Amino acid sequence: MHRTARTASAAIALTMAAGITACGSSGGEGVAADKKQTLTVWAMGVEGEKLADVAKVYEEANPHITVKVTPIGWDVAHQKLVSAAAAGTLPDITQMGSSFMGEFVELGVLEPVDTKTFKKDDFFPAAWEQGVADGETYGVPWYVETRVLYYRTDLAKKAGITKAPTTWPELQQAASDFQDKAGTKWGISLQPAGLDAVHSWYPFLYSAGGSIVADGKAAMDSPETVRALNEYGTYFDKGLAKKSFQPGYEVLTDFNSGDVPMFYSGPWTMTGINNDYPDLKGKWAIAKVPADKTSSSMAGGSSLVISKDSEHKEAATEFLSYLTDTKGQEDWFKRSGDLPANTSAWDSGELANDANFKIFREQMETAQSWPVLSQWTEISSKADDAISQVTQGKASAEDAAKKAQSEIEGLVE
């Protein structure tokens, strides 16, 4: 998942919202889709750079449409979106992750999705939920990601591990065997503290059936969530995972050296291993996250939204349909490597036949997304703090969860 930088607070955003109400307009009936017009699109990071090529192909087939794509760096994306929302100058279409979605829904600047055109059942459930707030859908899923277990197969052989761990007890036993029998420095890499440590914890949380917020209420002190926090902490108590945290840590260096034989990560890591560590070919594999009640990982990715003030909603809807139908999703995967959100794009070609992509598809089918809430960044930071308290031995899972529960209640209720 892309890390986000927030340079304007929610309070500032809400203040700006008053300005939006005053200066914004609905754009009337808007321009018909078959009329000559220009669509403006903001997309972030690498996606912003690659989408322009797709736009050229679309323009050739639709000569009355010009698609102007503006790449936006993730480090400045939030600030630019908030400023544009306040000024009433958002583009017709914007790429948006779930961590932004709640805030901009609250600001009232997004057009609800036409659910007759975009069908919920065409997409992974967690991908669709990333665009839903208060029962209304605002984002069309574009691409997805989830986390799976990466492990060294050559070191597993040395450790006497004959198959990938499938349960929590098997995962912890494997971590111990890697250390004791294969001589690895650590049994597994898990983020112990710092910003977004929660992402490393999600596979434990969701597999235990826990949540940070459920049905609009804080759920950090639920038995399932406490169980996940406690299990996570045992890896640090037993010396199976490194307690200290270095921002910017790249696990592949230690994976390559053999210091770290297991870690959780997303699909992009397969490319990283193949490109940067070719000597690891044939020495690693991936598996679904080991289960507690279930095997359930986190869902990330991005959706595409249409601005409420856009005067080109019809044409924007047609362009989004082009990007998110089966052919559009297959094409985007070939260009970017991003995993399709539309499940039909997985039914043929490399995505259907490659063993590793099959694992990612299975994991995505049970993956969960966090709630679309305007305060989510603040809420998840409280979970980060609880994780740090537990992994550093400063609080029990029960006490850390109780503290986070109180803090999160103040944000959601």
Side-chain angles (χ1 to χ4, degrees), residues 113-169:
V113 167
D114 176 3
T115 52
K116 293 181 179 177
T117 300
F118 302 99
K119 309 288 188 184
K120 177 180 178 179
D121 290 345
D122 288 344
F123 301 92
F124 287 109
W128 185 265
E129 289 303 317
Q130 292 177 52
V132 178
D134 297 329
E136 187 75 74
T137 303
Y138 293 92
V140 181
W142 187 20
Y143 66 85
V144 296
E145 63 99 344
T146 188
R147 309 297 163 90
V148 298
L149 181 70
Y150 285 75
Y151 67 101
R152 285 280 298 267
T153 53
D154 57 334
L155 297 176
K157 188 175 181 180
K158 284 185 179 180
I161 300 168
T162 57
K163 67 179 185 64
T166 59
T167 65
W168 280 8

Side-chain angles (χ1 to χ4, degrees), residues 123-267:
F123 301 92
F124 287 109
W128 185 265
E129 289 303 317
Q130 292 177 52
V132 178
D134 297 329
E136 187 75 74
T137 303
Y138 293 92
V140 181
W142 187 20
Y143 66 85
V144 296
E145 63 99 344
T146 188
R147 309 297 163 90
V148 298
L149 181 70
Y150 285 75
Y151 67 101
R152 285 280 298 267
T153 53
D154 57 334
L155 297 176
K157 188 175 181 180
K158 284 185 179 180
I161 300 168
T162 57
K163 67 179 185 64
T166 59
T167 65
W168 280 8
E170 289 181 5
L171 178 65
Q172 194 152 132
Q173 185 62 54
S176 179
D177 287 344
F178 272 122
Q179 277 187 315
D180 297 341
K181 300 177 183 178
T184 63
K185 188 172 184 179
W186 306 104
I188 188 171
S189 176
L190 299 170
Q191 187 174 330
L195 179 65
D196 289 341
V198 69
H199 289 177
S200 181
W201 179 56
Y202 279 138
F204 292 85
L205 175 68
Y206 293 140
S207 292
S211 302
I212 297 173
V213 173
D215 298 326
K217 295 183 179 180
M220 274 298 294
D221 65 350
S222 72
E224 295 82 4
T225 303
V226 172
R227 174 176 167 77
L229 201 52
N230 186 66
E231 178 70 13
Y232 196 79
T234 59
Y235 286 88
F236 300 89
D237 291 343
K238 296 179 178 179
L240 297 171
K242 188 178 181 180
K243 276 190 174 183
S244 60
F245 172 62
Q246 180 180 358
Y249 169 66
E250 292 290 344
V251 70
L252 287 187
T253 301
D254 288 340
F255 190 62
N256 180 54
S257 72
D259 283 352
V260 168
M262 296 191 293
F263 63 97
Y264 290 115
S265 190

